[in-house]
Amino acid sequence: MRLQHPSLQAALSLCLFILLWQGLASVLNTSTLPPPIVVLDILLDEIKSGQLLHHLSATMGRLAFSFSIAMLLGCAIGISLGLNKSLDHFFDTWLLIFLNIPALVTIILCYVWFGLTETAAILAVVINKLPNVIVTLREGTKALDKDLFAMAKCYRFTKLKTLLHVILPQLHPFIMAATRSGLALIWKIILVVEMLGRSDGMGYQLHLFFQLFDVASILAYTIAFIVVIQAIEWLILKPLDKHAVRWR
Amino acid sequence: MNDINVQIQDKSYLNSADNTTKQVIKNLSLSLKGNEFVCLVGHSGCGKTSLLNILAGLDLDFTGNVTLGITLPKIGYIFQTPRLLPWRTVAENISLATSCQPDSLDFFLESMDLSHEKNHYPAQLSLGMNRRVAIARAFASNPDLLLMDEPFVSLDSPTARKVRRLLIDLWAKRPHKVLFVTHDLREAITLADRLIFLDSKPMTVLKEIAVTIPRAERDNELKIEQFKQQLFIDYPEIHTLL
């Protein structure tokens, strides 16, 4: 029998991964690599106790908030820079500086300057993410079709009409790219932010488990994480992609 | 609408590759009176598109003076390429640009043989169909000034004939100024009140000739041909343009 159905293939490949994990855990027989069944057990316990949901929702809340701010601000600034050459030249250096500040430095500085508060945490994530969005959208704006702008000008499109029907559809692939790379980035940064200065969230929990050397719990939380990220990809991003390219 | 007067002393482009400037228009002056239908005839690449862009207000980087008769006239522009929004349907493309009523939208689509393509996206249609959508869009915008940049080039000849007739019908029904760029002299004679022959490099007006054939007889191919031959005899200098 040939393996043709993609979801069957995916299921088989996942089974193989779990088998390998089980095999390795049995051979090594160490507490630093617990077998899958132990991890699953802890995952179910954490779900039942409500602990996982509590920390996951704290992280998700921060993620949604900082992501929205970074995307909105980044799109606005990126489009402005793309449309205005002299502005772009002037702020190019700033962008370069912010792009190259290590994430950890921003986080530490935010906590030092604004205290161990929620605002500081959100701000740290936004500052880390913002330059990437700006650069992506700026490049997208520079690549906009000038002929269509001329058409819109000739037929007296209002500013709003031009934005909705001429600019945004062309920027859609760039916005999606910024969204994807941004989510990947924020996931990583937000854990560090929580680890360093918050008393809830996935990052805080992972830090706790690290101090206890509780690898099984770390893996259980990791699984929850992977599931959530995939759910976002499948339930939100993929449909958005499909909707926007229906004209192709 | 009052007369349109165009005086362009100089329109040059800077070639950023070698920092040279190339002059495309020099001391050109022309006017459109009343609701005149004027055809511009000249080599392709002689600067006609630059002239239309200046008239449409898309290009402000020139030395000269353009008065359009009224402030903010409605301009319909059929570009050389269709310039449709690929992410909007045929009907959306027209209604976004023209704010025209549903019945008149249907009328224009019908007369361009596009009724069945109303809800298609441009990518699903051929280039010729896209051009027809662009023409419908310009017609539907009820312009005071209609600029047409070789609009019928990729249409097959029956369609082109039909669209030409529609253009004249619409123009007769609702008079407005038309500036029509072509290098097809027959087409120009069939459509225009006046022909303006343009010399190239840099572009200037070589000759202006009124077309004296009555509108009712413009379908007569023989008359058109005779007029064309007579033009070549009377004005041998236009030979070099065609």
Side-chain angles (χ1 to χ4, degrees):
Chain A
M1 196 188 83
R2 283 168 64 194
L3 303 171
Q4 279 186 327
H5 204 276
S7 57
L8 189 69
Q9 271 189 11
L12 272 172
S13 129
L14 186 63
C15 282
L16 181 68
F17 179 78
I18 294 171
L19 268 174
L20 272 175
W21 175 5
Q22 174 67 53
L24 207 59
S26 308
V27 171
L28 295 175
N29 195 18
T30 148
S31 66
T32 51
L33 183 62
I37 189 75
V38 174
V39 174
L40 185 69
D41 224 29
I42 292 176
L43 181 63
L44 292 176
D45 276 351
E46 289 286 313
I47 292 171
K48 264 185 229 149
S49 72
Q51 280 287 319
L52 179 71
L53 198 68
H54 168 71
H55 293 290
L56 192 60
S57 58
T59 302
M60 292 300 293
R62 278 178 203 128
L63 175 99
F65 199 60
S66 51
F67 174 79
S68 312
I69 295 176
M71 282 304 287
L72 282 174
L73 258 176
C75 284
I77 298 174
I79 292 174
S80 316
L81 292 187
L83 291 176
N84 190 328
K85 245 188 196 152
S86 49
L87 213 62
D88 182 28
H89 277 305
F90 188 81
F91 286 109
D92 206 35
T93 339
W94 289 35
L95 222 55
L96 217 66
I97 294 171
F98 278 96
L99 270 172
N100 288 303
I101 297 178
L104 195 56
V105 175
T106 334
I107 298 168
I108 292 171
L109 286 180
C110 278
Y111 278 144
V112 170
W113 288 335
F114 306 107
L116 295 176
T117 61
E118 197 63 43
T119 320
I122 300 279
L123 192 68
V125 179
V126 170
I127 290 175
N128 272 304
K129 158 94 181 107
L130 197 59
N132 286 298
V133 186
I134 293 176
V135 169
T136 311
L137 267 291
R138 182 185 66 177
E139 296 317 308
T141 308
K142 281 181 183 167
L144 287 175
D145 187 337
K146 300 214 168 41
D147 284 355
L148 289 181
F149 267 124
M151 185 281 293
K153 194 178 171 203
C154 186
Y155 284 104
R156 305 256 154 72
F157 278 40
T158 57
K159 283 219 165 97
L160 182 69
K161 220 184 210 181
T162 310
L163 182 70
L164 289 180
H165 300 288
V166 183
I167 297 180
L168 284 183
Q170 292 187 72
L171 287 183
H172 178 268
F174 294 91
I175 296 175
M176 288 310 286
T179 302
R180 287 222 160 77
S181 72
L183 273 180
L185 186 77
I186 289 186
W187 275 126
K188 284 158 194 152
I189 292 169
I190 212 160
L191 294 190
V192 183
V193 169
E194 287 174 342
M195 197 171 124
L196 289 178
R198 300 278 70 212
S199 49
D200 57 0
M202 302 291 273
Y204 167 79
Q205 278 297 91
L206 288 173
H207 186 49
L208 205 69
F209 295 140
F210 171 50
Q211 284 171 336
L212 303 171
F213 261 63
D214 184 353
V215 178
S217 294
I218 290 176
L219 288 177
Y221 270 67
T222 309
I223 290 172
F225 229 72
I226 293 169
V227 169
V228 170
I229 296 172
Q230 271 309 305
I232 291 177
E233 173 69 28
W234 286 103
L235 298 177
I236 303 174
L237 299 184
K238 278 264 163 67
L240 268 177
D241 267 349
K242 268 206 186 117
H243 176 76
V245 297
R246 66 202 184 284
W247 54 273
R248 287 216 172 99
Chain B
M1 187 175 170
N2 296 318
D3 296 354
I4 289 179
N5 284 303
V6 183
Q7 309 259 317
I8 299 168
Q9 275 94 48
D10 172 60
K11 167 70 205 169
S12 302
Y13 287 104
L14 179 73
N15 182 355
S16 52
D18 54 4
N19 258 325
T20 53
T21 52
K22 194 183 141 208
Q23 191 177 40
V24 280
I25 303 176
K26 187 187 177 185
N27 293 334
L28 175 123
S29 91
L30 58 87
S31 57
L32 273 79
K33 298 179 184 65
N35 291 308
E36 221 180 359
F37 197 127
V38 172
C39 279
L40 299 175
V41 187
H43 281 299
S44 43
C46 79
K48 291 168 294 190
T49 303
S50 306
L51 174 63
L52 293 195
N53 282 339
I54 289 174
L55 273 167
L58 299 177
D59 186 352
L60 304 173
D61 181 25
F62 65 97
T63 321
N65 194 15
V66 174
T67 45
L68 289 178
I70 52 172
T71 44
L72 287 182
K74 268 201 281 183
I75 293 176
Y77 193 162
I78 302 174
F79 303 90
Q80 253 177 7
T81 49
R83 300 202 188 177
L84 303 175
L85 302 170
W87 37 84
R88 296 288 178 261
T89 62
V90 166
E92 284 166 346
N93 260 289
I94 297 175
S95 54
L96 275 170
T98 63
S99 65
C100 76
Q101 299 301 311
D103 334 342
S104 70
L105 176 76
D106 287 339
F107 165 76
F108 285 111
L109 288 175
E110 177 84 33
S111 40
M112 291 287 157
D113 277 333
L114 289 166
S115 310
H116 298 294
E117 284 74 26
K118 192 176 171 181
N119 296 315
H120 284 55
Y121 290 100
Q124 297 169 296
L125 308 176
S126 69
L127 178 63
M129 282 168 147
N130 276 303
R131 295 206 68 124
R132 265 141 60 198
V133 177
I135 294 169
R137 178 177 63 187
F139 287 175
S141 69
N142 272 334
D144 300 310
L145 169 64
L146 181 58
L147 304 171
M148 305 175 84
D149 196 353
E150 308 199 0
F152 303 147
V153 283
S154 57
L155 302 188
D156 55 86
S157 53
T159 312
R161 208 171 308 137
K162 197 175 158 192
V163 178
R164 255 180 232 129
R165 192 160 302 145
L166 178 72
L167 167 65
I168 292 296
D169 284 350
L170 289 170
W171 175 68
K173 219 182 287 174
R174 204 188 58 80
H176 53 272
K177 291 181 169 59
V178 183
L179 200 58
F180 189 105
V181 165
T182 182
H183 52 251
D184 178 352
L185 185 54
R186 272 167 163 287
E187 180 175 59
I189 297 169
T190 314
L191 293 171
D193 293 321
R194 193 153 53 97
L195 308 175
I196 297 180
F197 290 92
L198 297 165
D199 203 0
S200 57
K201 283 170 193 154
M203 186 169 91
T204 49
V205 174
L206 186 70
K207 200 84 211 168
E208 293 195 34
I209 299 160
V211 180
T212 48
I213 310 171
R215 287 269 162 205
E217 295 170 27
R218 298 283 178 107
D219 282 340
N220 188 335
E221 303 254 337
L222 197 66
K223 289 239 171 182
I224 304 286
E225 190 57 37
Q226 277 171 354
F227 190 86
K228 184 177 154 191
Q229 296 308 330
Q230 195 61 44
L231 273 186
F232 284 140
I233 296 166
D234 296 346
Y235 309 100
E237 65 267 40
I238 64 174
H239 244 302
T240 58
L241 298 180
L242 300 153

